[in-house]
Amino acid sequence: MNFVTAPLVADLFLLAILAIGREEVHDGTIGTDGIVPYDIMLFFLSLAYIAISVDASGLIRWLAFKVLQKGGKVGHRLYFYLYAFFFTLTTFIGNDPIILSGTAFLSYMTRVSANIKHPRAWIYTQFSVANIASAILVSSNPTNLVLAGAFNIKFLKYTANVIVPVVVTGIVLFPFLLYIIFHDESLIPSSIKMEDLPEELKNKKPVNPNIPYAKGELDERDSELSSDDEQEKQLSLEEILNPFLDKKGAIVGAIIMAVTLVTVLALNASSSGSGHERPVFWVTLPAAFVMFCFDLAMGWLSREETRKIAHEGRQRAKLAQAERAEVRRKSIAQIEGDAIELSESYNTDMPNEKQGEATSSRTANSDSKTSETPTTSLEEGKPTKPSQTIKRTTLASLLSETYQRAQETFPTTMTVFHHLPFALIPFAFCMFVLVQALVTKGWVPVFAYGWDHWVEKTGTVGAVGGMGFVSVILCNFAGTNIGTTILLSRIIQAWQTIHLRNNTPISDRTFWGTVYSMALGVNYGAFSLAFSASLAGMLWRDILGRKHIRVGGLEFARVNLPIIAICMVVGLTVLIGQIYVVRGEGPYYVAK
């Protein structure tokens, strides 16, 4: 049971007992009340393809390398440069590519630094910054897409309302992280002692890491079994100080991403707001297809080179595996030999009678083993042939060979497909259906009445603070921040309906303060108490695990608790000040 199967099983169970039916499934997939799930998923996945393709070109790793060069070995300066770099880049391409490349880069960097005892400060900073900056653009996070669709918010107006709280949060958070939370010389040293690459490796042409076996490693299990720390350090150094960059792929990908975002923002800003706007995936899906065709074309044109690299790497990997097996065999033989010598020396020290008994027993055992061994006679002049196992061709083997061939021929395309968040599709649709079931069965209106009573008692400040707190907490328990956004959006919509029926409009200040505090909460909530607060958190943990950095659940909560507290206090305080300046007490307008 995981985050994909759990909501699916819940939906199937509810369908089986007839607790939900066609209405819930239809509204949870086709959409209702401004939330269109299939539009959101197609938009996000197509944009994610472009972003991950840019990442696969090596652009993010190369830019991080340039930041590393700029920061030098001055610890605090490098920490600031990387902080600003991750914040800026996440704003435009979203948090998933930053998690994919940035986490690996930092794990390598901290491994080859002699006086960084633990990567905690660097990896937690990167994770929190990636989720803070993802709140700025609607396209940076699927939670923003759900929220903008639910309340008919123009993409530019969404950005205009959240950019000030988010940027101020980023500015205030940095000194807190550097001088309070991670104020330890072993975490962020004043001067970083980093090893350097040998000249022959500096001048070596970097290999595309998307090509299978490009580094000569058979698989990750073998690399984990390898205990050669020096070799691992050298590979890490080579990864960060001699990064691969596909210039054509990076340039084309960056241009397509920029044109797509500008087009989406322009079309969304110029739409009439009548509810008949064109789906946004009409822009992003063709752009992703163009990027896909470009990746295929570049892979096909360079297929001879990539296949050769993969073949040579596979041979090196097999040779290395055979050498390790031989070393293990010799080690076992040595241990057995030592045991035999010890036994013989022990028998030499025994009395003659016991020694004779032991010798006779060993002789008897050897005779019995010899008698049990069947004798075989070979015809004279006919040498024996080694037994050969015929490998059977099955559907699984054919698929495996086809997949391997595709990886070698189209390394970038296959890497992008491997990293695309396809698991988000069943998870999101199932969560949409579950929340829609809460709507139709009357639970969401109950929650909305409770929220209405809270707002009546606490006013605008209570609405902003309460929604921020609830959204952060629910991210950890309501099916990640995506499930939380879906649920809270429906609750706020039901809250709107209550006031429309009672003919008591919500004030403009209170309503939009509630909406945008939820936007901050569901983005910031990704780095709160549990990895399951976001899909990015689970991806981050898995990448760190593959890089031999173990992060426990208690440590995750302990380190993130002060960070999320600072971020939410700063962000919500700025948001309250902003809405009191730019919004009044008059009734809100849905089109804002």
Side-chain angles (χ1 to χ4, degrees):
M1 191 74 73
N2 55 32
F3 72 94
V4 175
T5 57
L8 178 60
V9 169
D11 282 344
L12 293 176
F13 175 74
L14 292 175
L15 283 169
I17 64 174
L18 302 180
I20 61 175
R22 181 183 179 279
E23 179 186 357
E24 288 80 8
V25 175
H26 175 274
D27 292 346
T29 52
I30 304 302
T32 182
D33 294 331
I35 298 179
V36 185
Y38 73 89
D39 185 16
I40 293 169
M41 289 296 101
L42 286 173
F43 173 79
F44 179 72
L45 284 176
S46 54
L47 205 62
Y49 182 92
I50 303 172
I52 297 174
S53 181
V54 172
D55 175 38
S57 70
L59 180 61
I60 296 177
R61 287 188 295 271
W62 183 81
L63 289 174
F65 164 65
K66 291 300 179 183
V67 171
L68 185 62
Q69 283 185 323
K70 185 76 173 175
K73 296 183 179 180
V74 181
H76 291 186
R77 183 174 64 189
L78 177 60
Y79 183 75
F80 170 73
Y81 283 169
L82 287 173
Y83 184 95
F85 168 71
F86 288 133
F87 191 97
T88 304
L89 209 56
T90 302
T91 301
F92 295 102
I93 66 173
N95 57 359
D96 280 347
I98 299 302
I99 297 296
L100 284 170
S101 279
T103 306
F105 176 84
L106 290 176
S107 68
Y108 292 140
M109 188 197 79
T110 53
R111 183 183 300 171
V112 298
S113 303
N115 57 339
I116 297 180
K117 302 302 180 185
H118 196 282
R120 183 185 305 118
W122 305 84
I123 59 177
Y124 279 98
T125 297
Q126 176 246 1
F127 183 64
S128 58
V129 165
N131 286 286
I132 292 170
S134 67
I136 294 178
L137 289 182
V138 171
S139 57
S140 297
N141 201 318
T143 58
N144 305 339
L145 292 167
V146 174
L147 189 145
F151 304 107
N152 196 24
I153 305 173
K154 303 290 185 186
F155 289 2
L156 285 176
K157 288 190 175 181
Y158 169 88
T159 300
N161 280 277
V162 299
I163 190 170
V164 174
V166 171
V167 171
V168 173
T169 300
I171 293 172
V172 174
L173 179 63
F174 175 76
F176 269 92
L177 293 176
L178 182 59
Y179 297 113
I180 297 177
I181 297 177
F182 299 126
H183 183 57
D184 189 336
E185 191 69 16
S186 64
L187 298 177
I188 308 176
S190 302
S191 177
I192 298 178
K193 299 175 183 177
M194 191 173 295
E195 300 179 22
D196 202 1
L197 270 179
E199 286 299 324
E200 62 271 14
L201 290 180
K202 281 184 179 179
N203 300 324
K204 177 184 174 184
K205 181 183 177 182
V207 181
N208 185 352
N210 301 319
I211 302 173
Y213 309 106
K215 301 293 184 182
E217 297 171 356
L218 190 61
D219 56 25
E220 291 190 5
R221 287 174 299 175
D222 288 336
S223 64
E224 286 177 3
L225 291 172
S226 176
S227 58
D228 192 349
D229 291 337
E230 290 301 321
Q231 186 178 4
E232 282 192 13
K233 278 191 175 183
Q234 184 172 314
L235 287 173
S236 301
L237 271 172
E238 193 174 350
E239 189 77 21
I240 63 173
L241 297 181
N242 189 25
F244 168 80
L245 175 63
D246 176 12
K247 293 182 180 179
K248 292 181 181 178
I251 293 171
V252 172
I255 291 173
I256 292 177
M257 173 64 85
V259 171
T260 303
L261 288 178
V262 170
T263 305
V264 167
L265 292 174
L267 291 177
N268 183 263
S270 62
S271 60
S272 61
S274 60
H276 300 286
E277 293 84 2
R278 298 289 184 267
V280 286
F281 77 85
W282 284 17
V283 176
T284 58
L285 196 58
F289 182 72
V290 171
M291 191 76 235
F292 172 70
C293 292
F294 175 82
D295 291 338
L296 285 180
M298 294 304 296
W300 183 254
L301 291 175
S302 58
R303 64 189 183 280
E304 297 297 333
E305 180 185 358
T306 55
R307 288 173 180 174
K308 180 182 177 182
I309 293 172
H311 176 72
E312 292 175 351
R314 189 181 298 108
Q315 296 304 316
R316 290 196 304 270
K318 289 180 179 178
L319 181 62
Q321 188 186 36
E323 289 176 353
R324 286 197 295 270
E326 181 65 19
V327 169
R328 284 196 294 267
R329 189 189 66 78
K330 289 182 178 179
S331 176
I332 293 171
Q334 180 66 31
I335 293 172
E336 290 178 350
D338 293 342
I340 292 172
E341 289 180 4
L342 182 63
S343 175
E344 289 178 352
S345 63
Y346 174 73
N347 290 334
T348 304
D349 296 336
M350 289 173 61
N352 291 335
E353 295 178 0
K354 292 184 178 180
Q355 184 176 350
E357 292 175 2
T359 305
S360 60
S361 64
R362 283 202 304 271
T363 305
N365 289 336
S366 63
D367 291 342
S368 63
K369 288 181 181 178
T370 304
S371 62
E372 290 173 2
T373 305
T375 58
T376 58
S377 60
L378 299 175
E379 295 183 11
E380 190 175 351
K382 292 184 179 180
T384 58
K385 295 182 180 180
S387 59
Q388 296 180 352
T389 57
I390 301 174
K391 188 177 180 181
R392 296 177 58 189
T393 301
T394 62
L395 179 60
S397 65
L398 284 175
L399 291 175
S400 177
E401 290 173 4
T402 303
Y403 180 76
Q404 181 177 306
R405 194 71 171 172
Q407 281 185 310
E408 296 173 358
T409 308
F410 309 106
T412 300
T413 306
M414 298 305 293
T415 299
V416 175
F417 275 110
H418 177 71
H419 290 303
L420 273 176
F422 288 116
L424 180 62
I425 299 174
F427 168 77
F429 278 119
C430 291
M431 288 303 301
F432 277 118
V433 172
L434 285 175
V435 173
Q436 193 60 34
L438 293 176
V439 174
T440 57
K441 302 308 175 185
W443 281 105
V444 165
V446 171
F447 300 148
Y449 274 108
W451 174 251
D452 186 49
H453 287 305
W454 168 262
V455 175
E456 285 181 1
K457 296 289 185 182
T458 60
T460 300
V461 175
V464 173
M467 182 54 69
F469 176 79
V470 169
S471 57
V472 169
I473 296 300
L474 281 180
C475 285
N476 300 277
F477 306 105
T480 76
N481 51 359
I482 299 174
T484 299
T485 308
I486 299 168
L487 177 60
L488 291 179
S489 295
R490 292 302 191 196
I491 291 174
I492 295 176
Q493 287 177 337
W495 180 44
Q496 291 177 274
T497 304
I498 292 171
H499 281 266
L500 287 174
R501 288 175 180 172
N502 296 335
N503 200 22
T504 55
I506 309 168
S507 72
D508 186 65
R509 183 178 290 165
T510 301
F511 179 79
W512 291 112
T514 300
V515 170
Y516 289 117
S517 65
M518 181 178 74
L520 296 181
V522 294
N523 280 277
Y524 294 6
F527 56 94
S528 50
L529 300 177
F531 296 111
S532 58
S534 68
L535 299 179
M538 291 182 277
L539 174 65
W540 181 75
R541 179 190 58 185
D542 292 341
I543 294 173
L544 289 175
R546 291 198 295 269
K547 305 302 177 185
H548 315 295
I549 299 174
R550 308 300 176 192
V551 179
L554 288 177
E555 180 194 347
F556 184 81
R558 178 179 58 81
V559 175
N560 279 323
L561 193 58
I563 300 176
I564 186 65
I566 294 166
C567 290
M568 289 306 295
V569 168
V570 172
L572 295 182
T573 301
V574 175
L575 179 62
I576 290 171
Q578 176 180 289
I579 61 173
Y580 269 92
V581 171
V582 301
R583 298 191 182 274
E585 286 293 336
Y588 78 94
Y589 297 97
V590 177
K592 280 194 177 181

